[in-house]
Amino acid sequence: MRFIRYGKYTGEPADSIDLEELIKRLGDFFLQSGFESQYYGVSQMDPERSMEALREAILRALQEGDLLPENAMSEELRKMLQDPAALNSQAVKDLLDKITERLANEGFINPQQPPQVTPPPQTSARGQLGQPQDRQTEARFEITDKTIDFLGFKTLQDLLGSLGRSSFGRHDTRDLSTGVESGGVSRHYEFGDTLNMDISATLFNAVRREGAKVPIEMNYSDLMVHQCEYQSSCATVVLLDCSHSMILYGEDRFTPAKRVAMALSHLIRTQYPGDTLSLVLFHDSAEEVPLSELARVQVGPYYTNTREGLRMAQRILLRQKKDMRQIVMITDGKPSALTLEDGRIYKNAFGLDPFVVGQTLEEVNKCKRAGILINTFMLASDYSLVHFVQKITEMCRGKAYFTTPYTLGQYLLMDYMSRKTKQIH
């Protein structure tokens, strides 16, 4: 008689991996800004990623961390993963394929098939044709909005953890207005106020005027309303420098800046729904980029046209009907380019060009006249730039932070959350 022995199903090793933890560890790979391309020869302006590069990144994450539980893999697989030639193992290849398949099924990546090339016919009326050369094609993928949103949330979570416990709300001010939540003493009703009546104070006014009698006769002057703290809204433009210097000198400054912008976007969307956030990249010129495309942006061989970035930021902010309007400028270099009236670009990367600096400060002065605040986050410590940045902050009553890529997020979020409307009084 034939018997079938059943055992406990332990699952595949790929099923035991926490995909969210994996995405967090692959954050630098997903958000790479062209820094590695200097050394590995990858095109700086190619936002696509190859599936083979993704498998290699997953393998590095498996080798460096504890993504795979001890009871989820055999001793043989553990040794294979630590082998420098692990990619040559069929078992490791199968594991990586299953992990990438899970990432696609969960909506973290969007695989793209390589283009299909139809070979020419092998024969013709005049004889045999030569063998066609194989075209080198490679499967690629794109990260989805789900991954971008998750990375923004994790970055925000990490930054807030470093800042300590914080209670969130909207931007409180010194002004008092009528509303639903009372936050101050009552005052007389004025036309246009929210009719949030202070019944006790209203009746007291009527009794004090007419005496204690029934019925109580009330006049318009007796009406009292509760006051609540006035909560303002803010329009913010993140002005992000994407000139080539952001990845030079052995340091990637652009990827941390992208992470902070994503975290700020998540913070505003979840905690300050009345606020708006826009993104402007400035290089030889300037361009507005949807926040959904931020993770795919890379630096290029560009100069720094700060004035053009300020111009575009002003146009965006002047369309916003908000109580506060501000520019958050993240840069690491001096202004080195200008867009002339005829459309040509004037460039000078040697020192602080007086013509470039003068035109840039004139644009800063226009921001001041429009009531737009400029807060500058400088990722460089060049002494010659200190005076220039201080001049900007002095003209616009803003603030300057001389920081590093590692502390940028803490300073920027602290500034945003602690900023009050008192700056516009």
Side-chain angles (χ1 to χ4, degrees):
M1 184 176 179
R2 186 177 180 181
F3 293 93
I4 299 177
R5 183 180 298 274
Y6 293 95
K8 181 181 179 181
Y9 177 71
T10 58
E12 296 287 341
D15 297 331
S16 62
I17 293 179
D18 184 350
L19 290 186
E20 291 188 349
E21 180 63 24
L22 176 61
I23 291 296
K24 181 180 177 181
R25 299 192 186 190
L26 294 177
D28 287 338
F29 170 75
F30 287 139
L31 301 178
Q32 58 183 295
S33 306
F35 178 67
E36 293 185 350
S37 62
Q38 306 176 81
Y39 309 103
Y40 300 108
V42 182
S43 172
Q44 294 180 2
M45 299 307 295
D46 184 6
E48 295 180 324
R49 304 286 185 267
S50 70
M51 292 296 290
E52 188 60 33
L54 175 60
R55 293 188 185 95
E56 293 176 1
I58 294 174
L59 178 60
R60 288 195 298 269
L62 293 175
Q63 293 173 337
E64 295 170 358
D66 52 354
L67 286 172
L68 274 172
E70 291 293 329
N71 59 356
M73 57 179 173
S74 62
E75 185 66 27
E76 181 182 2
L77 179 59
R78 186 180 297 107
K79 291 181 179 179
M80 288 180 182
L81 288 175
Q82 298 305 322
D83 188 349
L87 282 174
N88 296 328
S89 169
Q90 187 60 44
V92 173
K93 288 181 179 179
D94 293 341
L95 173 64
L96 298 178
D97 287 341
K98 291 177 181 177
I99 294 175
T100 54
E101 183 179 355
R102 280 193 65 198
L103 289 173
N105 292 337
E106 294 289 336
F108 288 106
I109 63 172
N110 182 24
Q112 298 177 339
Q113 295 298 323
Q116 300 294 322
V117 179
T118 303
Q122 298 301 309
T123 58
S124 69
R126 297 187 177 182
Q128 186 76 18
L129 292 178
Q131 293 294 326
Q133 292 184 346
D134 292 333
R135 181 177 177 180
Q136 297 296 326
T137 57
E138 190 174 25
R140 297 186 177 274
F141 74 96
E142 287 186 352
I143 57 175
T144 62
D145 292 341
K146 178 180 179 180
T147 300
I148 296 173
D149 189 61
F150 176 76
L151 291 175
F153 164 73
K154 296 302 292 184
T155 303
L156 177 62
Q157 188 180 54
D158 292 342
L159 291 174
L160 293 182
S162 63
L163 295 178
R165 293 175 178 263
S166 299
S167 59
F168 295 104
R170 291 157 184 82
H171 308 289
D172 297 327
T173 73
R174 294 191 308 234
D175 293 333
L176 294 176
S177 67
T178 57
V180 177
E181 297 179 3
S182 60
V185 296
S186 302
R187 65 167 172 82
H188 286 284
Y189 172 79
E190 295 177 0
F191 180 76
D193 287 342
T194 302
L195 200 60
N196 185 19
M197 295 287 296
D198 185 342
I199 303 298
S200 299
T202 300
L203 293 176
F204 180 76
N205 286 343
V207 170
R208 184 173 56 181
R209 181 176 48 81
E210 294 289 338
K213 63 177 184 178
V214 179
I216 299 176
E217 296 181 3
M218 289 188 297
N219 290 340
Y220 183 87
S221 59
D222 296 330
L223 299 178
M224 300 290 288
V225 290
H226 288 294
Q227 294 185 101
C228 68
E229 291 186 351
Y230 179 80
Q231 294 176 334
S232 64
S233 58
C234 178
T236 302
V237 169
V238 173
L239 197 56
L240 184 55
D241 184 354
C242 66
S243 61
H244 196 57
S245 62
M246 292 288 278
I247 58 171
L248 289 180
Y249 315 116
E251 185 177 46
D252 183 5
R253 300 166 177 173
F254 194 61
T255 301
K258 286 166 59 174
R259 282 182 175 275
V260 170
M262 290 167 58
L264 185 60
S265 172
H266 191 89
L267 174 69
I268 289 176
R269 189 171 67 253
T270 57
Q271 302 296 336
Y272 303 106
D275 289 8
T276 62
L277 179 68
S278 303
L279 175 68
V280 171
L281 302 179
F282 65 103
H283 34 80
D284 282 357
S285 58
E287 56 187 322
E288 183 179 5
V289 176
L291 287 168
S292 59
E293 295 296 320
L294 174 60
R296 305 176 180 93
V297 172
Q298 293 187 320
V299 298
Y302 300 120
Y303 287 75
T304 309
N305 195 338
T306 308
R307 186 185 70 164
E308 196 63 24
L310 291 171
R311 280 182 169 179
M312 179 160 291
Q314 282 183 81
R315 290 196 293 268
I316 295 172
L317 290 174
L318 292 176
R319 296 196 301 261
Q320 303 288 338
K321 305 299 182 182
K322 302 293 182 182
D323 300 321
M324 295 184 291
R325 291 176 292 195
Q326 73 162 356
I327 295 172
V328 175
M329 182 164 64
I330 304 174
T331 183
D332 75 330
K334 58 184 177 295
S336 57
L338 282 176
T339 303
L340 302 178
E341 297 300 328
D342 58 4
R344 293 180 300 162
I345 298 177
Y346 171 83
K347 305 175 183 177
N348 184 5
F350 300 98
L352 284 171
D353 188 310
F355 176 58
V356 176
V357 172
Q359 293 294 315
T360 303
L361 291 179
E362 177 59 31
E363 204 62 40
V364 172
N365 197 38
K366 292 180 181 178
C367 291
K368 176 184 177 181
R369 293 197 295 268
I372 297 173
L373 192 72
I374 301 178
N375 289 336
T376 307
F377 295 82
M378 178 62 70
L379 296 174
S381 56
D382 189 344
Y383 182 77
S384 64
L385 298 176
V386 173
H387 178 70
F388 171 71
V389 174
Q390 288 178 340
K391 186 66 176 177
I392 291 178
T393 57
E394 177 186 339
M395 293 175 65
C396 276
R397 296 181 297 123
K399 286 176 279 189
Y401 296 89
F402 294 88
T403 180
T404 68
Y406 309 103
T407 58
L408 169 66
Q410 299 174 18
Y411 279 108
L412 197 153
L413 288 184
M414 241 185 336
D415 173 76
Y416 189 86
M417 291 187 294
S418 64
R419 173 182 38 78
K420 308 296 183 182
T421 311
K422 63 185 180 184
Q423 294 174 335
I424 66 171
H425 283 279

